Amino acid sequence: MSHEAAIENLSREERTFPPTEAFAAQANLSDPAVYEEADADFEGWWAGHAEKLRWMKPWDTVLEWEAPHAKWFVGGTLNISDNCLDRHIESGAGDKVAYHWEGEPVGETRTITYSQLKDEVCQFANALKAHGVGKGDRVAIYLPMIPELPVAMLACARIGAIHSVVFAGFSSQSLADRIDDADAKMVITSDGANRRGKQIPLKSAVDEAIEKASGDSVETVVVVDRTGLAISMQDGRDVWYHEAIAGQSTECAAEEMDAEDVLYILYTSGTTGKPKGIVHTTGGYLTQTTATQRLTFDLKPDTDVYWCAADIGWVTGHSYIVYAPLANQTTSVMYEGTPDFPDKDRFWDIVERYGVTILYTAPTAIRAFMKWGAEYPESKDLSSLRVLGTVGEPINPEAWMWYREHIGPEDAPIVDTWWQTETGGHMITPLPGITASKPGSAMRAFPGIKAVVVDDLGDPVEPGQGGYLTIQRPWPSMLRTIWGDDQRFKDTYWARFGGDTYFAGDGAKLDEDGAIWVLGRVDDVMNVSGHRMSTTEIESALVDHESVAESAVVGRADDLTGQAISAFVTLVGGYEASDELEAELKVHVGEQIGKIARPAEVYFTPDLPKTRSGKIMRRLLKQIAEGTELGDATTLANPDIVTALQEAAAKRS
Ligand code: WTA
């Protein structure tokens, strides 16, 4: 059932869950007036949250806005690692647990206090300096979910180096592209990663990436010993992490950073083949991520045990595993592995053992839990949970209801948070002590954010209507540009509706009460298990294979992963379609981009369905892949192709 149809099927009462009185009574925010107040003075609202941080020098001006370029807290200086670590230690919280780290191998755990984290961050920051990394230099980080990952990020932030974390599931080619684009001076990696009881090599992928990179920016590779996999170390370039920090001082002065200095680059898929380096800065980013973590999750740092089950390789992990939780002095759980290793109760075992109170995960995970069955969560004590969050894609109402019924105690609020790599922090979400939730809706803009659903011409739509999601006022954690390509920044986000209207790339609908339902991407970006994938990027990877002449890729609806990748290819003369070739092409895409980009199926066809003017009709391909009725095909030049493909698709399903 489509997302929209599923929503329509619910009665209005079934669709609305107001906060309970008990929850509202203890909530960080329970007065709806906050929305109007923040709207009336959004700069003052954000400045109030910025004041909760530790500044080295106060700002002169809250906001300078020359669309599309914003500067927040102009003139202010601070250091993020100081805010995440030193500040808490000085206030007496050094022994508080920052992370309960849980390795994938059962029984392997580490408890890391704020003091211990600070010591290791300082040691590694000193090691970075010893290897010639300084303020403004770019450092690529390609690590699994181990404590050294936040340590590396914070060490960069401490000395003002710019990190670019590359999800460890990306291929060596993807890593090479990112190293080149950012001119990274150093790569931080590990020998390998644990994945469902196996060891996946990482260091060898880094070696290949450096080989493939067209530049020669990388001077040093730092390697964490995680799995014991055999690797080769290159003399003069490669150094073990434990050797690099050995003997380094546990003190390292935090660099005074301008509020607008770059904190990190994070690459994300766009509508063209080349990933975009999203640039985030310091003061505004920390202001909004901390404010949203406190208010969206009703965070009580003294008592909550918070678990964001994302990977730090994506923005969710940057903002809501590393920066906001640490700056808010949260005790977090950080988990290395997958939810079904060694068994399908792993998440619930973790919730029970650590007494997790706030859980933040993705709809695709919830759908997998649903499929596995309620007996897994039922076998554990989940009564500690009090707030549940979701992010990454539209959540179907069935999954929302299952989350409520089987994971949270009945009345635990669910916050469906809409945001993007580009927005840095939450933008549309219920506030759990104020906003009634409806399964499938992200509800309303966070206080201070102006989210407007507009029609083709950019005019706001009426309740009950659909259109494009836009943001019409700057926000502190907004991307500042695309690394090295400000023109693309302007073209991608600001040209569609002009002026100071940010185009998010998502379709959305307002319901009769004015609540926002985000419906998914309206561009060539797919969302597979909550991961953004570019159709063009996968098409390029396919065409890169010697057998492929032309390809078209679409995201088709999938019950588990939200969307799945369907590829259609025509072959170069002399090549024959076969199951072996299909398998080879999937592997090839995996090598080019990463396993997460592998098509679920590859259809071979003598030609792609095209209009008479030669344009590929992707809409038809999507309908073919989904097995739904074909829409208007009157402009189609080669209808016989479509019939053959429909037959092939029917055979598969
Ligand atoms: C989608 C992840 C509906 C959306 C933080 C967006 C969502 C893209 C939601 C950003 C949600 C994220 N409801 N759709 N709650 N959250 N999306 O950059 O299409 O990896 O544009 O950031 O995910 O994905 P990204």
Side-chain angles (χ1 to χ4, degrees):
M1 198 186 304
S2 79
H3 187 49
E4 264 177 291
I7 295 163
E8 298 302 333
N9 271 1
L10 296 170
S11 76
R12 194 158 167 172
E13 296 73 57
E14 278 176 321
R15 295 194 224 161
T16 311
F17 297 93
T20 62
E21 268 174 40
F23 191 92
Q26 62 79 59
N28 291 346
L29 277 183
S30 53
D31 182 358
V34 65
Y35 285 106
E36 286 71 47
E37 284 161 22
D39 253 348
D41 176 17
F42 76 99
E43 292 185 23
W45 158 256
W46 290 119
H49 289 289
E51 275 160 17
K52 296 187 166 68
L53 305 174
R54 177 152 87 173
W55 294 80
M56 293 173 173
K57 194 166 134 253
W59 61 87
D60 309 312
T61 313
V62 174
L63 171 66
E64 276 177 17
W65 176 227
E66 275 175 52
H69 294 114
K71 288 187 184 152
W72 283 87
F73 309 113
V74 184
T77 64
L78 73 167
N79 181 285
I80 284 194
S81 117
D82 171 66
N83 271 277
C84 289
L85 304 167
D86 309 54
R87 179 165 69 122
H88 307 319
I89 294 161
E90 286 164 36
S91 72
D95 292 336
K96 191 174 175 194
V97 176
Y99 291 115
H100 291 292
W101 178 78
E102 168 106 356
E104 191 182 79
V106 173
E108 193 182 354
T109 59
R110 268 178 76 182
T111 305
I112 304 162
T113 65
Y114 276 91
S115 291
Q116 290 166 340
L117 189 59
K118 188 215 146 216
D119 286 354
E120 194 160 327
V121 165
C122 285
Q123 287 189 300
F124 192 51
N126 286 323
L128 291 177
K129 285 190 194 168
H131 285 93
V133 175
K135 186 170 176 175
D137 287 338
R138 272 82 59 208
V139 173
I141 305 179
Y142 187 65
L143 281 173
M145 287 286 288
I146 54 177
E148 288 80 359
L149 174 49
V151 168
M153 294 162 75
L154 291 162
C156 287
R158 194 159 190 97
I159 65 169
I162 299 169
H163 61 70
S164 162
V165 177
V166 180
F167 173 62
F170 276 120
S171 66
S172 59
Q173 183 61 54
S174 293
L175 178 61
D177 296 342
R178 286 156 175 76
I179 288 173
D180 270 336
D181 191 72
D183 276 321
K185 200 168 178 179
M186 177 185 271
V187 183
I188 303 166
T189 189
S190 61
D191 49 0
N194 290 313
R195 188 96 187 146
R196 290 201 176 87
K198 291 200 199 110
Q199 275 83 46
I200 314 274
L202 289 184
K203 168 64 164 63
S204 57
V206 172
D207 294 338
E208 280 169 38
I210 294 174
E211 190 90 340
K212 286 176 184 162
S214 41
D216 57 356
S217 58
V218 177
E219 292 167 12
T220 314
V221 178
V222 180
V223 187
V224 178
D225 178 4
R226 171 68 191 128
T227 57
L229 276 179
I231 58 166
S232 66
M233 296 288 277
Q234 185 175 310
D235 256 0
R237 187 195 73 183
D238 301 352
V239 35
W240 287 103
Y241 174 87
H242 56 272
E243 287 174 7
I245 62 169
Q248 293 291 353
S249 163
T250 54
E251 294 299 325
C252 172
E255 187 80 28
E256 181 167 358
M257 304 296 288
D258 190 274
E260 282 298 327
D261 276 337
V262 176
L263 173 65
Y264 68 78
I265 307 169
L266 182 59
Y267 288 85
T268 188
S269 295
T271 50
T272 69
K274 191 175 174 311
K276 305 176 280 199
I278 303 300
V279 173
H280 282 294
T281 58
T282 302
Y285 176 78
L286 200 61
T287 299
Q288 186 166 341
T289 54
T290 50
T292 48
Q293 194 214 5
R294 278 194 300 272
L295 302 180
T296 302
F297 300 120
D298 190 49
L299 179 73
K300 310 280 196 292
D302 289 339
T303 48
D304 276 318
V305 177
Y306 162 96
W307 182 20
C308 168
D311 191 291
I312 295 175
W314 311 109
V315 74
T316 304
H318 280 61
S319 297
Y320 296 106
I321 298 178
V322 181
Y323 290 117
L326 293 174
N328 280 330
Q329 210 184 101
T330 314
T331 293
S332 296
V333 170
M334 175 176 169
Y335 173 50
E336 181 184 32
T338 50
D340 55 352
F341 187 85
D343 205 351
K344 299 185 174 67
D345 61 357
R346 187 66 189 267
F347 265 37
W348 318 123
D349 178 55
I350 292 174
V351 169
E352 180 181 274
R353 258 185 304 116
Y354 296 102
V356 172
T357 57
I358 302 173
L359 176 66
Y360 192 27
T361 187
T364 187
I366 299 167
R367 288 192 297 265
F369 299 142
M370 278 174 78
K371 201 176 108 189
W372 297 340
E375 60 268 29
Y376 293 102
E378 274 162 15
S379 70
K380 303 287 171 187
D381 178 4
L382 308 183
S383 58
S384 54
L385 287 169
R386 63 177 202 94
V387 178
L388 304 175
T390 104
V391 59
E393 57 181 309
I395 180 163
N396 44 315
E398 300 89 328
W400 196 103
M401 291 302 295
W402 191 90
Y403 201 24
R404 180 178 166 90
E405 279 160 21
H406 295 283
I407 305 305
E410 265 290 314
D411 52 2
I414 297 182
V415 288
D416 174 2
T417 61
W418 176 88
W419 59 294
Q420 308 177 295
T421 307
E422 291 86 341
T423 70
H426 300 162
M427 300 293 280
I428 304 178
T429 172
L431 289 177
I434 299 178
T435 323
S437 296
K438 305 182 189 189
S441 171
M443 299 307 295
R444 70 183 287 182
F446 190 82
I449 301 293
K450 188 173 174 193
V452 187
V453 181
V454 302
D455 63 18
D456 258 327
L457 301 173
D459 296 321
V461 304
E462 297 295 321
Q465 305 287 302
Y468 304 98
L469 183 58
T470 67
I471 309 294
Q472 302 203 352
R473 185 195 280 157
W475 64 100
S477 63
M478 64 196 285
L479 78 165
R480 298 302 193 260
T481 187
I482 290 175
W483 183 259
D485 201 347
D486 197 54
Q487 192 56 47
R488 189 171 177 199
F489 165 69
K490 293 177 183 157
D491 295 345
T492 308
Y493 306 106
W494 306 94
R496 177 70 175 79
F497 296 107
D500 40 18
T501 296
Y502 171 86
F503 172 50
D506 279 309
K509 180 181 146 179
L510 289 185
D511 70 13
E512 62 277 15
D513 305 321
I516 300 171
W517 299 71
V518 180
L519 301 174
R521 305 289 307 188
V522 292
D523 52 14
D524 292 334
V525 175
M526 297 173 290
N527 191 325
V528 182
S529 300
H531 302 319
R532 275 166 71 168
M533 294 284 138
S534 148
T535 53
T536 328
E537 202 180 346
I538 298 170
E539 286 163 7
S540 312
L542 284 165
V543 177
D544 176 78
H545 191 272
E546 56 189 9
S547 70
V548 176
E550 192 178 25
S551 82
V553 164
V554 296
R556 64 154 169 83
D558 183 271
D559 284 345
L560 198 61
T561 55
Q563 287 191 313
I565 302 167
S566 269
F568 296 81
V569 304
T570 64
L571 294 173
V572 171
Y575 283 90
E576 290 285 330
S578 68
D579 292 348
E580 292 71 37
L581 184 55
E582 175 173 0
E584 189 179 321
L585 291 177
K586 290 180 187 174
V587 170
H588 182 73
V589 173
E591 283 166 1
Q592 290 289 304
I593 303 171
K595 279 194 184 152
I596 45 173
R598 283 190 187 182
E601 60 263 335
V602 181
Y603 291 101
F604 297 103
T605 170
D607 201 355
L608 293 166
K610 288 182 182 156
T611 60
R612 282 182 211 105
S613 58
K615 231 176 148 238
I616 298 173
M617 294 188 73
R618 276 163 214 284
R619 179 172 53 77
L620 290 185
L621 288 175
K622 194 172 151 89
Q623 287 156 349
I624 291 167
E626 291 179 349
T628 51
E629 214 171 296
L630 296 191
D632 180 14
T634 44
T635 54
L636 189 63
N638 45 359
D640 46 318
I641 292 293
V642 169
T643 318
L645 279 172
Q646 276 181 306
E647 279 162 20
K651 254 190 232 151
R652 290 208 187 226
S653 63

